[in-house]
Amino acid sequence: MEKKKNILTGIRPTGKLHLGHYFGAIINWTKLQDKYNTYIELADVQALTDNFHNPEKVRESVREVAIDLLSSGIDPKKSTIFVQSMIPEIAELTVFYSNMVTIARLYRNPTVKVEIKQKKNLFGKEGESVTYGFLGYPVSQAADITALEGELVPVGEDQLPLIEQCREIVRKFNSIYGQTLKEPQAYLSETPRIKGLDGNEKMGKSLNNAIFLSDNREIVSKKIMGAITDTNKIRKNDPGNPDNCMVYYYHNLVNKENLKTVNKECRAGSRGCVDCKKELIESMMNFLKPIQEKRKYYEEHSEIVDEILKTGTEKARIKAKEVMNRVRKNMMIDYFD
Ligand code: ATP
Ligand code: MG
């Protein structure tokens, strides 16, 4: 039988997970875990690059994200969930790889460029808020991937430059020290980018436009009641255009059975926005129910979550140690055991 390929994917523990994570990433991972040897990294080291002043948030989010993953279909028997900072080999590799990447190359990385621009918006002048650690995160990501011998890395189009940079590092390393590291491939996922309640192109943790998987009925109701609808539909019986409506957009995610009716009635002016929102709230709660039931179970059995993280991290560490031993040997820094 052919050996299963390794998949490495990750998530930054910077808050609870939302619909964007679910439809944009987790659904895909639940399929991949059936076919591949799947590692899911809780990237706390990376989260700390721009949250170093907020260790409580990162610490708490590791547990919350783990619970969200387990509640939404990630099976710890199939996927290895591990905590990045507990694998010191990743940090070691980052140090050695950083010699193989120029600062100019990091600044040219399109993904990094975009993120630097976003930082500028948050903190004012471009450049001033860019730390050494942040600029180097593609290097640290190359260490994540290669430490676990990730062969396929599921990414969106916008993250392709990170994989390309990792491949460059691997090739350079292997050409200098001999064949040591596996060169990964990007695995382009066709998952959609989920929009926010405010119509923003991305639902984001910090954008205040997300429905979290753990939101209760009261919060969900409030958020949906405030969602953007077609601004030309003013009165209840005005015909509307579902294409300009966030409520319709989410019907399409969680109320597929009734989607055609919603569309038809909206266009015909026979469906008021308030009723349409109420129907969405019901569908959303039905969708969230099984996830939240599982969440409750894991909240009440936190020892199970701890055990899953511990076992996953131990398993990942065995792989990372193997790789690190090879690296030490080939770099001639294996002085003693
Ligand atoms: P942060 O602001 O901390 O970067 P994030 O919301 O971007 O948080 P990440 O941990 O960076 O979340 O991303 C985890 C995964 O979830 C990635 O694969 C990312 O592309 C995906 N993801 C996050 N938000 C969305 C969204 N709105 N639509 C689709 N996919 C998303
Ligand atoms: Mg992100």
Side-chain angles (χ1 to χ4, degrees):
M1 203 179 80
E2 212 182 315
K3 198 177 153 281
K4 275 189 185 172
K5 282 200 168 154
N6 295 334
I7 286 239
L8 179 94
T9 188
I11 196 150
R12 290 158 41 98
T14 52
K16 290 181 178 177
L17 302 188
H18 50 63
L19 294 181
H21 295 112
Y22 185 87
F23 289 103
I26 301 173
I27 285 198
N28 192 29
W29 299 348
T30 60
K31 290 183 193 139
L32 295 176
Q33 69 182 354
D34 290 329
K35 261 174 75 188
Y36 299 101
N37 193 14
T38 304
Y39 290 98
I40 302 178
E41 176 182 85
L42 303 182
D44 60 338
V45 177
Q46 200 191 118
L48 285 163
T49 58
D50 47 3
N51 289 276
F52 57 88
H53 50 290
N54 208 345
E56 292 87 1
K57 176 167 113 183
V58 175
R59 167 91 186 202
E60 195 187 318
S61 300
V62 164
R63 159 172 298 278
E64 294 296 346
V65 169
I67 293 180
D68 278 328
L69 291 174
L70 294 168
S71 307
S72 43
I74 298 300
D75 179 348
K77 288 196 202 79
K78 298 178 184 165
S79 293
T80 306
I81 308 176
F82 70 97
V83 183
Q84 185 185 21
S85 64
M86 297 302 283
I87 314 271
E89 289 74 16
I90 293 176
E92 285 183 70
L93 290 175
T94 304
V95 171
F96 297 124
Y97 295 172
S98 63
N99 296 327
M100 281 161 222
V101 180
T102 65
I103 291 169
R105 175 69 181 85
L106 285 168
Y107 272 118
R108 271 204 312 274
N109 183 316
T111 314
V112 174
K113 257 192 192 162
V114 169
E115 291 186 9
I116 288 179
K117 283 237 161 62
Q118 285 164 357
K119 282 187 184 299
K120 178 181 152 188
N121 295 340
L122 286 176
F123 299 115
K125 252 173 125 181
E126 185 162 351
E128 285 195 352
S129 60
V130 177
T131 62
Y132 168 57
F134 172 77
L135 185 64
Y137 97 79
V139 182
S140 143
Q141 215 166 64
D144 298 334
I145 296 168
T146 51
L148 279 307
E149 298 200 300
E151 295 168 276
L152 297 174
V153 186
V155 285
E157 194 106 20
D158 54 330
Q159 289 183 314
L160 282 176
L162 295 170
I163 307 303
E164 199 39 52
Q165 184 137 37
C166 173
R167 287 161 60 92
E168 275 174 40
I169 293 172
V170 169
R171 286 198 290 262
K172 190 150 187 181
F173 192 103
N174 287 343
S175 74
I176 298 169
Y177 302 111
Q179 182 58 40
T180 316
L181 306 168
K182 248 187 199 151
E183 192 173 324
Q185 272 181 348
Y187 190 91
L188 255 190
S189 51
E190 281 147 28
T191 45
R193 183 146 287 265
I194 303 301
K195 295 184 189 181
L197 285 158
D198 55 357
N200 190 311
E201 280 308 306
K202 190 189 170 192
M203 179 178 281
K205 278 180 265 210
S206 48
L207 298 170
N208 217 359
N209 66 1
I211 294 181
F212 292 90
L213 299 176
S214 47
D215 279 348
N216 64 25
R217 174 177 282 272
E218 199 188 325
I219 295 173
V220 168
S221 303
K222 221 167 158 179
K223 287 180 176 173
I224 289 179
M225 281 301 174
I228 302 290
T229 53
D230 177 7
T231 45
N232 290 325
K233 181 168 158 62
I234 298 162
R235 277 170 300 264
K236 192 173 165 210
N237 295 326
D238 288 346
N241 181 358
D243 299 335
N244 299 334
C245 174
M246 291 319 294
V247 175
Y248 181 74
Y249 180 84
Y250 295 120
H251 271 295
N252 184 33
L253 294 178
V254 296
N255 189 21
K256 277 221 186 308
E257 316 82 72
N258 209 19
L259 195 67
K260 278 205 179 114
T261 313
V262 177
N263 193 318
K264 223 168 73 198
E265 289 179 358
C266 176
R267 289 187 193 279
S270 60
R271 163 180 286 257
C273 290
V274 173
D275 287 338
C276 190
K277 285 175 171 175
K278 282 189 177 150
E279 183 179 327
L280 178 62
I281 294 167
E282 289 316 310
S283 305
M284 190 64 76
M285 290 321 294
N286 281 339
F287 163 75
L288 293 175
K289 194 169 172 229
I291 298 177
Q292 297 188 348
E293 277 170 7
K294 281 199 185 159
R295 168 171 261 283
K296 187 160 177 283
Y297 171 81
Y298 285 114
E299 279 170 354
E300 284 165 3
H301 296 84
S302 61
E303 71 289 350
I304 297 180
V305 181
D306 288 344
E307 192 52 38
I308 288 169
L309 288 180
K310 189 160 172 274
T311 314
T313 304
E314 277 165 7
K315 185 176 160 204
R317 181 131 197 238
I318 291 171
K319 171 63 83 189
K321 276 186 176 165
E322 265 170 41
V323 173
M324 195 63 216
N325 283 341
R326 253 187 355 251
V327 165
R328 285 195 161 273
K329 183 164 173 283
N330 294 354
M331 287 186 76
M332 299 195 276
I333 52 173
D334 56 338
Y335 300 104
F336 25 77
D337 286 334

